[in-house]
Amino acid sequence: MSSATPAPQGEVIVHVFGRTDVGRTREHNEDAFVVADLSTDNATLQPEVRQHRVGAKGSLFMVADGMGGAAAGEIASAMAVDIVLGELRTAWIAQPAQKTAGAEAFVRAIKQATKSANQQINAYAANHAEYRGMGTTATIAGILGDTLYLAQVGDSRAYLVRDGEARQITKDQSLMQKLIEAGELTEEEAAQSERRNIILQALGPEPTVKIDLTHQQVRRGDTLVLCSDGLSGQVTKDEIAAIVSQESDLTAGCKKLIDRANANGGPDNITVILARFDGAGLADPNGDDHVGHRVFPLPETGQTPAIGIDRLIDAHSPTQPVPVIERTRTTRPLPAEEMRESAPAAASAPTVSPARRNAGRMIAIGLLVLGIAAAAWFIVEHVRDAYSAGASVTKS
């Protein structure tokens, strides 16, 4: 499954801190986060969790960015972190060691917790009309041994900072990411696009959700950065790397990152978790390490990297638009239909290939010819019937 280097014997120590800020333009904070030592079942930012040994059950870090207007986003993100942690308590923490041994069991537990959060948020919105269409992103990172296992829904992000460089280890489930992969836009163009808030997945708006599962082996001195797009949309990954690398105190590091986002406008809520890894159980970095988006395949799902933009468009008929979610904050909850209203045309227009366009023209021409033929047939039959009726009258 992986060519990861075997971990040295010894402890893995995590130093972690998290912080959230409303930003400069929002009236309330729709972000939520959680930090938990799963081995002691302690979810807090008290000293015993801010520095702890990664035990047999691992540790959890999660950021959620709610959407939907009014209080809906706050409810969705709070529900997400509560449900994920609660599900892990039942399906992971409380289970005997023989049932939770190994990476695959850990990833299954994280995936199931994420699915449960989606189902419960969706059901809650269905039963409360005022919250219809609400949702939240979720970036969930669990460390077990020397490896991070991540579940991604939406466009909150995880970076790994190593040797002064920040590399994104999640992949945004967004329209812009698909257009970048298709070669339609550069990262710089995507960052300036008016459609940069359109995401393809979120917890809550739909009954089912596609969860991107990935993994990353960590090295001594690595720092994990989990953040909402209130940070990643305003602070470049080079700036993130510089601040994280220069600031040894994680509390100060979180504050500096949030201050930088606010200095750049602070148009959204800002949430960041910094987790730095150390200990004899981790190897030193080396040049052969792979850092980036790396799928963790579960056997029964056959998960593959996220689908490309062409397959995304092909999979939906004209009467079933691409399921996109525009993360617009309004004074009222946005129904799913409204959230999608303008997005499908924008999603399709820049990505239609010449072959597909020509095929569409041929179909349109064929339909036009058929229409003309049908009209001609109708006219001929109508004239014939009229003539026959006239002939009958004359004969009588």
Side-chain angles (χ1 to χ4, degrees), residues 114 136-139 151-156 173 201-203 209-211:
T114 309
T136 180
T137 69
T139 300
Q152 175 72 12
V153 179
D155 65 348
S156 295
Q173 292 178 327
Q201 296 283 313
L203 298 181
V209 67
K210 178 179 174 60
I211 303 165

Side-chain angles (χ1 to χ4, degrees), residues 77-390:
S77 61
M79 285 182 67
V81 297
D82 287 345
I83 293 166
V84 167
L85 185 58
E87 290 288 322
L88 287 174
R89 282 184 169 130
T90 301
W92 178 253
I93 297 174
Q95 296 301 313
Q98 61 268 26
K99 289 188 177 181
T100 58
E104 190 172 303
F106 190 40
V107 174
R108 287 181 191 277
I110 292 173
K111 180 182 180 183
Q112 184 55 46
T114 309
K115 288 176 62 178
S116 182
N118 180 69
Q119 293 163 356
Q120 292 187 50
I121 295 169
N122 181 263
Y124 184 87
N127 292 324
H128 297 79
E130 67 273 26
Y131 299 136
R132 188 164 55 110
M134 75 177 186
T136 180
T137 69
T139 300
I140 305 164
I143 185 168
L144 192 66
D146 71 336
T147 304
L148 286 165
Y149 302 95
L150 300 105
Q152 175 72 12
V153 179
D155 65 348
S156 295
R157 290 183 178 179
Y159 297 95
L160 194 75
V161 179
R162 178 181 295 174
D163 295 333
E165 182 181 0
R167 282 172 277 193
Q168 189 174 340
I169 58 175
T170 54
K171 186 176 287 186
D172 297 351
Q173 292 178 327
S174 67
L175 176 62
M176 291 300 102
Q177 179 64 37
K178 298 302 179 189
L179 295 178
I180 291 170
E181 292 173 4
E184 299 288 341
L185 293 177
T186 66
E187 290 188 12
E188 292 74 19
E189 290 170 337
Q192 301 302 318
S193 171
E194 295 181 355
R195 297 297 184 187
R196 62 186 177 274
N197 284 334
I198 295 177
I199 57 177
L200 304 179
Q201 296 283 313
L203 298 181
E206 302 290 342
T208 60
V209 67
K210 178 179 174 60
I211 303 165
D212 191 28
L213 300 173
T214 56
H215 59 133
Q216 176 66 56
Q217 193 171 33
V218 296
R219 301 298 190 188
R220 189 177 297 119
D222 284 353
T223 302
L224 172 70
V225 181
L226 252 60
C227 62
S228 61
D229 72 329
L231 181 75
S232 60
Q234 303 302 315
V235 183
T236 68
K237 63 181 181 180
D238 290 340
E239 291 176 303
I240 291 172
I243 291 172
V244 170
S245 300
Q246 294 166 10
E247 182 53 72
S248 59
D249 181 78
L250 298 185
T251 305
C254 286
K255 183 178 186 303
K256 287 183 178 180
L257 288 170
I258 289 173
D259 287 348
R260 179 67 58 87
N262 277 324
N264 290 340
D268 202 352
N269 307 144
I270 310 157
T271 300
V272 58
I273 295 173
L274 297 181
R276 185 165 291 150
F277 305 103
D278 205 348
L282 297 178
D284 291 323
N286 66 73
D288 296 330
D289 290 337
H290 170 84
V291 179
H293 183 267
R294 194 175 196 176
V295 166
F296 185 97
L298 288 177
E300 77 281 7
T301 63
Q303 182 185 349
T304 57
I307 60 175
I309 189 71
D310 285 343
R311 287 177 57 199
L312 181 72
I313 293 172
D314 287 340
H316 293 81
S317 70
T319 59
Q320 294 181 333
V322 176
V324 297
I325 304 157
E326 186 152 11
R327 306 187 330 130
T328 304
R329 275 73 172 183
T330 66
T331 56
R332 62 182 179 86
L334 280 180
E337 310 87 68
E338 289 187 38
M339 296 173 110
R340 297 174 179 175
E341 185 176 10
S342 62
S348 301
T351 62
V352 178
S353 66
R356 186 179 294 129
R357 188 179 291 111
N358 289 336
R361 289 197 188 106
M362 294 301 294
I363 292 171
I365 292 170
L367 291 173
L368 179 61
V369 170
L370 288 174
I372 293 172
W377 176 83
F378 176 80
I379 292 170
V380 169
E381 290 297 310
H382 183 73
V383 170
R384 181 181 297 166
D385 291 343
Y387 177 77
S388 298

